[in-house]
């Protein structure tokens, strides 16, 4: 079951500048930042609200760390903007299997490591009406089980 919007992923050329825009314009502060070498991104998570299912909602600001990363490729083609949406679930494996059985391409055979130790996978945008869609199980909900 999908229980919330975990985050909206926003691709940018300059993470520090984009963080400053969200701070100055809306007052959002960086809750967490990290580099995910596997995904080829430097990222900042801006927390928008807390929910009761072990996760929360965030904006995920993404700057590519290398030219051959998916985000660098996307930025070169589209410029800055909304890159993907992510739904939260307590069971990323179960939701991925369910969605796969409905004919939607799930990009990874097994979930990989995402922000803050979460487990993530992606659905192909061409099977989702042009929307790159991520599924996330927050690390915190795992710990609580
Ligand atoms: N949203 C919507 N459509 C997208 C897209 C996106 N973010 N990225 C690519 N596409 C579309 C392209 O426009 C292209 O469409 P056309 O053929 O009509 O031109 C098609 O998908 C293929 O795109 P591509 O540029 O050739 O890119 P690839 O096929 O090499 O990669 C994808 C696309 C989805 C497989 C790849 O981006 C991917 O593996 N994404 C998942 C990982 C990821 O995005 N990581 C960064 C975020 C990390 C995080 O959230 O933690
Ligand atoms: Co994401």
């Amino acid at each position: 079951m999908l229980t919330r919007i975990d985050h909206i992923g926003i691709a940018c050329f300059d993470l520090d500048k984009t963080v400053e825009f969200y701070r100055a314009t809306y007052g959002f502060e960086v809750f967490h930042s990290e580099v995910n070498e596997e995904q080829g991104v430097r990222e900042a998570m801006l927390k928008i609200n807390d929910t009761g299912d072990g996760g929360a909602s965030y904006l995920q600001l993404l700057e590519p760390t290398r030219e051959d990363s998916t985000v660098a490729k996307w930025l070169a083609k589209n410029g800055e903007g909304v890159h993907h949406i992510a739904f939260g679930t307590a069971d990323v494996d179960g939701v991925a299997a369910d969605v796969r059985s409905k004919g939607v391409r799930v990009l990874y055979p097994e979930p990989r490591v995402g922000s803050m130790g979460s487990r993530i996978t992606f659905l192909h945008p061409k099977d989702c009406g042009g929307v790159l869609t991520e599924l996330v199980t927050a690390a915190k909900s795992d710990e609580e089980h």
Side-chain angles (χ1 to χ4, degrees), residues 48-119:
I48 310 299
N49 74 309
D50 256 312
T51 58
D53 64 358
S57 293
Y58 303 88
L59 291 183
Q60 180 184 40
L61 307 180
L62 300 159
E63 178 194 85
T65 55
R66 49 173 205 267
E67 288 294 310
D68 64 347
S69 66
T70 56
V71 172
K73 198 173 165 187
W74 188 87
L75 277 166
K77 189 174 169 186
N78 302 285
E80 296 183 314
V82 174
H83 177 259
H84 64 275
I85 63 167
F87 295 121
T89 171
D91 179 17
V92 65
D93 303 89
V95 173
D98 182 51
V99 168
R100 188 182 279 120
S101 77
K102 291 169 180 163
V104 173
R105 278 169 289 171
V106 178
L107 296 181
Y108 305 148
E110 298 293 334
R112 295 184 182 173
V113 177
S115 311
M116 300 178 284
S118 59
R119 296 177 68 239

Side-chain angles (χ1 to χ4, degrees), residues 14 16-17 57-58 69 93 96 111 117-119 137 141-143:
D14 183 334
D16 297 336
K17 201 173 140 194
S57 293
Y58 303 88
S69 66
D93 303 89
S118 59
R119 296 177 68 239
T137 294
S141 66
D142 287 342
E143 283 163 18

Side-chain angles (χ1 to χ4, degrees), residues 7-46:
H7 63 268
I8 310 284
I10 295 170
C12 62
F13 292 111
D14 183 334
L15 185 63
D16 297 336
K17 201 173 140 194
T18 306
V19 162
E20 178 53 21
F21 168 79
Y22 280 93
R23 194 201 61 74
T25 310
Y26 308 115
F28 293 149
E29 299 290 344
V30 175
F31 178 75
H32 174 84
S33 59
E34 69 182 85
V35 172
N36 185 326
E37 287 297 354
E38 186 179 38
Q39 294 291 339
V41 293
R42 187 163 83 92
E43 61 171 79
M45 298 295 274
L46 314 183

